[in-house]
Amino acid sequence: MIRPARDSDRDAIAAIHTESWRDTYRDVLPDDLLDGALGNIMVDRWKTQEIADRDVVLVAQADDGEILGFAATWVEEQGRGYIDNLHVRSSARSQGLGRAMLRETALRLLHHGVPSGYLHVVASNKRARSLYMRLGGELGPVEDKNLYGTIVPNQRIDWSDLSILAG
């Protein structure tokens, strides 16, 4: 089930965010960050993260109540959606959860009058880039991003029309 995140989901979101980074970015970010401070960084981030009415933060929940993934999108002042995070537990990957959360995100953004969106993905994350391209994303420029003290090339992916992502 894909549903809006609740305040009670914040710890699970932080745990999934941490697990995903530790798994996906092992060769990108320093081990001392991944194995050390990252867990606390994510807990602090998600404990205080403001979510406005037009923002879309969703979770994928299993029948037993376990949170399997989340997607977080912030609506910018310019009226675009910035897909900041999409993470799925490693045990639940390749089951269509990421795709389902992105589609539901696009539908909700469109409902709020947000016509376009974009994201940044670590350029070496071929699995994610492939998903975004299959879902109609358009390649944008590569930009260096500071990920907690490490400069990492990120590929921008755009959806000039979110109805394509909504499918």
Side-chain angles (χ1 to χ4, degrees):
M1 167 177 57
I2 307 297
R3 64 166 175 78
R6 303 177 189 129
D7 280 340
S8 60
D9 297 324
R10 288 177 183 265
D11 287 341
I13 289 170
I16 291 167
H17 202 164
T18 301
E19 173 198 330
S20 180
W21 274 41
R22 285 178 176 158
D23 179 48
T24 305
Y25 301 141
R26 181 59 62 183
D27 296 329
V28 175
L29 296 173
D31 287 343
D32 61 334
L33 170 66
L34 294 173
D35 298 329
L38 184 66
N40 289 333
I41 290 169
M42 293 305 177
V43 166
D44 290 346
R45 178 193 172 171
W46 286 104
K47 192 179 293 185
T48 60
Q49 178 68 57
E50 289 189 36
I51 303 171
D53 290 340
R54 291 177 59 191
D55 295 332
V56 179
V57 181
L58 303 173
V59 296
Q61 181 177 334
D63 292 339
D64 66 2
E66 180 185 13
I67 304 300
L68 301 174
F70 77 97
T73 302
W74 319 118
V75 177
E76 298 177 331
E77 287 182 22
Q78 304 89 344
R80 293 176 304 185
Y82 174 60
I83 303 166
D84 188 26
N85 285 286
L86 174 67
H87 298 281
V88 175
R89 289 193 185 277
S90 58
S91 61
R93 290 187 188 142
S94 299
Q95 298 177 26
L97 294 177
R99 179 182 308 235
M101 287 187 288
L102 284 173
R103 285 191 173 142
E104 184 63 24
T105 294
L107 288 169
R108 289 172 184 259
L109 289 169
L110 289 166
H111 177 76
H112 288 297
V114 178
S116 63
Y118 72 101
L119 57 79
H120 290 103
V121 61
V122 171
S124 63
N125 189 345
K126 294 177 183 172
R127 179 186 179 112
R129 283 182 31 195
S130 176
L131 170 65
Y132 303 141
M133 299 313 294
R134 286 193 312 271
L135 295 175
E138 304 162 359
L139 287 177
V142 173
E143 306 167 13
D144 286 338
K145 298 289 180 183
N146 185 336
L147 300 182
Y148 301 103
T150 301
I151 302 300
V152 179
N154 277 246
Q155 178 82 57
R156 182 177 165 125
I157 309 286
D158 287 283
W159 285 271
S160 55
D161 179 356
L162 280 175
S163 64
I164 294 168
L165 183 56

